[in-house]
Amino acid sequence: MEAEIKDRPAFAHVVVTLGPGESITAEADAMATMAAELELETTLNGGFFSALGKRLFGREPMFINSFTNNTMQEKQVMFSQGIPGDIMSIELNGNSFCLQPGAYLCSTPGVELGLKWAGVKSWISREGLCKLEVSGHGTVWYGAYGGMVEKEVDGEYIVDTSHLVGYDPSLSFNVQLAGGFFSSLFGGEGLVTRLEGRGMAVIQTRSLSGLAGWLNPRLE
Amino acid sequence: MNVEIQHGPGSATATVRLDGGETCVAEGGAMIAMSSDLSVETTTRQREKGGLLSAAKRLLGGESMFLNHFTAGPSGGDLWLSTDLPGDMMSLELGNETLMVQAGSWVACEDGVDLDVSWQGMKSLFGGEGFFWLRLTGPGRVIVNSFGAFYPIEVSGEYVVDTGHIVAFQETMDYSVTKAAGGWMSSILGGEGLVCRFHGPGKVWAQSHCPPTFGRTLGPMLKPRD
């Protein structure tokens, strides 16, 4: 299997070339174009309640699609996200990674998608009630609105609310005011997320709620 | 008519250089800047063609009901065209052929190109959230835009494209709107729904991102309209 992330960072999309017998899993509606000979199978994203939970809390679709190449030639499929932005991939070797709701795009078979409770703190920091924990062996592609920056956290780090894309499960997070009470209220930063521990965090450079917040007062 | 696309693939804009007396037809709202001696004529139809019915068809097509005809003065002139959504733009030279362009992706064309809204019947309605197609017949130059990057596909045999991702395709190709997967459950639940299956040979221009999907993602975050 070959996969290439093209047209980064503004309009990233993943072009996957599947060899004979190979398959790839993707969230519902991620497929933009594909060779006609590929077979598509839709399954529940986990058990029924797990899938339902992912839909309600994880903002992930309830169903996932599996694209399989049952021919003897290489076939291509292209995945993209609904929003403009960057896509990155992570290799899992038995470890796991937490993804924010909506970030997951596609993965190789062998990667499991699990829904985890992220805590009330997460909800307050506008990161959602639940997070998607991907684990197993393989590659996961995830994306966000805007560009993405990787940051190795050692100790503590602050991330603006709704700008977190993914992080090592070893990191814990807390919500706090950006500055003092006055600065938080008027400085426009409000609440921020404080990541603690050692691990990698992925931050998105734009947020959709930021765009919505800019648009809303201008709507008729 | 000379077309130069700048600042692709994210914020593309097209600079059209017209010779003296040449005319460029563009969708309403596309012009962002132009030479002062360009004359603009706004019509609800292409000059000498169509009528109110044609204009109504264009309105249904998602294109502005108004067409702007920009005509250069005797020494020629410049016209800058742009679009609403971020993405790329492309100019195609049509021979004596017809290009089907998704309403919303068409930006402008040379005056001699024939522009018509094509009613594809129920296929189009089911094909994807009410898309209509514009039929552009050359010869002449056509400018289209994409939401995201262009993804040209040379089809030999068959190829499947999610309908919201189609920018344009050659009319000579057969296409059918079908279920993405084998079963109906897969098609509906899998979110892919109905897709367009193209039978080549021919060329399809796809876009990496899909405006309706972006709208569906951003929409719920916006204030409801009264």
Side-chain angles (χ1 to χ4, degrees):
Chain A
M1 179 189 310
E2 265 166 50
E4 198 190 330
I5 307 174
K6 294 186 131 171
D7 292 301
R8 305 181 64 184
F11 286 107
H13 49 110
V14 189
V15 180
V16 181
T17 309
L18 295 171
E22 287 184 322
S23 63
I24 188 150
T25 308
E27 65 169 350
D29 209 21
M31 185 274 284
T33 68
M34 71 174 196
E37 299 84 357
L38 287 176
E39 273 171 43
L40 165 60
E41 199 193 317
T42 304
T43 51
L44 273 175
N45 197 354
F48 179 76
F49 287 106
S50 168
L52 189 65
K54 283 182 195 132
R55 176 71 193 90
L56 294 173
F57 304 110
R59 274 188 255 149
E60 288 294 342
M62 203 162 150
F63 297 92
I64 51 175
N65 290 326
S66 184
F67 297 84
T68 309
N69 181 0
N70 285 324
T71 69
M72 297 308 286
Q73 299 99 34
E74 289 193 332
K75 295 291 169 190
Q76 275 195 346
V77 55
M78 192 264 266
F79 299 111
S80 90
Q81 24 178 25
I83 46 174
D86 206 358
I87 294 176
M88 298 207 315
S89 67
I90 183 168
E91 288 292 326
L92 296 175
N93 277 313
N95 55 322
S96 47
F97 196 64
C98 292
L99 285 175
Q100 289 311 103
Y104 171 79
L105 184 67
C106 57
S107 57
T108 54
V111 173
E112 271 167 45
L113 313 170
L115 189 72
K116 292 271 164 22
W117 174 251
V120 180
K121 283 183 284 194
S122 167
W123 180 70
I124 292 173
S125 62
R126 287 196 270 154
E127 297 292 357
L129 270 175
C130 292
K131 58 189 176 183
L132 195 73
E133 195 167 301
V134 290
S135 54
H137 294 263
T139 315
V140 182
W141 286 267
Y142 57 93
Y145 176 62
M148 287 190 286
V149 180
E150 281 178 350
K151 174 73 191 164
E152 278 293 337
V153 177
D154 188 2
E156 275 190 354
Y157 214 70
I158 308 268
V159 179
D160 192 15
T161 51
S162 76
H163 281 258
L164 193 60
V165 180
Y167 53 96
D168 259 327
S170 57
L171 291 172
S172 69
F173 67 79
N174 271 299
V175 176
Q176 63 177 55
L177 290 174
F181 187 72
F182 184 87
S183 126
S184 296
L185 203 57
F186 296 101
E189 292 298 338
L191 294 169
V192 293
T193 303
R194 191 171 81 240
L195 293 168
E196 287 168 345
R198 294 190 73 178
M200 187 184 71
V202 182
I203 302 161
Q204 62 189 74
T205 61
R206 295 282 186 281
S207 80
L208 210 58
S209 51
L211 175 66
W214 182 89
L215 285 169
N216 272 327
R218 291 167 173 79
L219 296 175
E220 289 297 288
Chain B
M1 188 165 105
N2 195 284
V3 182
E4 196 192 321
I5 313 280
Q6 292 178 312
H7 303 300
S11 313
T13 183
T15 313
V16 180
R17 294 207 164 80
L18 298 168
D19 291 330
E22 238 192 323
T23 301
C24 174
V25 183
E27 65 167 339
M31 184 276 287
I32 58 172
M34 65 180 197
S35 305
S36 55
D37 65 343
L38 243 65
S39 73
V40 188
E41 197 190 315
T42 304
T43 61
T44 56
R45 54 186 167 86
Q46 248 195 328
R47 235 174 298 186
E48 295 143 38
K49 285 191 167 97
L52 219 49
L53 184 62
S54 277
K57 285 197 327 188
R58 261 202 301 285
L59 184 64
L60 290 174
E63 289 295 319
S64 161
M65 193 159 156
F66 300 102
L67 291 180
N68 286 325
H69 301 258
F70 296 92
T71 308
S75 52
D78 284 350
L79 177 65
W80 292 74
L81 300 170
S82 194
T83 59
D84 292 330
L85 289 175
D88 207 354
M89 287 170 89
M90 182 172 77
S91 104
L92 296 165
E93 184 74 50
L94 292 183
N96 280 320
E97 55 185 304
T98 302
L99 196 70
M100 303 291 286
V101 180
Q102 200 225 102
S105 296
W106 176 72
V107 181
C109 60
E110 245 178 294
D111 196 30
V113 174
D114 188 62
L115 173 72
D116 190 25
V117 175
S118 176
W119 167 248
Q120 291 296 315
M122 298 307 277
K123 267 201 298 191
S124 180
L125 241 127
F126 284 122
E129 298 112 345
F131 288 126
F132 284 73
W133 303 99
L134 299 178
R135 248 176 131 248
L136 287 135
T137 308
R141 196 158 272 277
V142 177
I143 304 175
V144 292
N145 72 274
S146 65
F147 179 43
F150 281 110
Y151 186 74
I153 306 167
E154 288 284 352
V155 182
S156 61
E158 277 196 343
Y159 215 81
V160 172
V161 185
D162 186 78
T163 39
H165 286 263
I166 303 172
V167 172
F169 61 94
Q170 294 173 321
E171 203 208 19
T172 50
M173 279 205 291
D174 276 330
Y175 73 96
S176 48
V177 177
T178 57
K179 306 187 247 91
W184 273 107
M185 289 303 277
S186 274
S187 297
I188 296 167
L189 303 172
E192 297 298 347
L194 294 164
V195 294
C196 219
R197 204 169 274 261
F198 286 101
H199 310 267
K203 197 159 176 183
V204 180
W205 288 267
Q207 52 192 0
S208 65
H209 287 68
C210 180
T213 312
F214 181 46
R216 276 198 297 269
T217 313
L218 182 62
M221 297 184 181
L222 300 176
K223 266 191 328 205
R225 272 193 269 187
D226 290 325

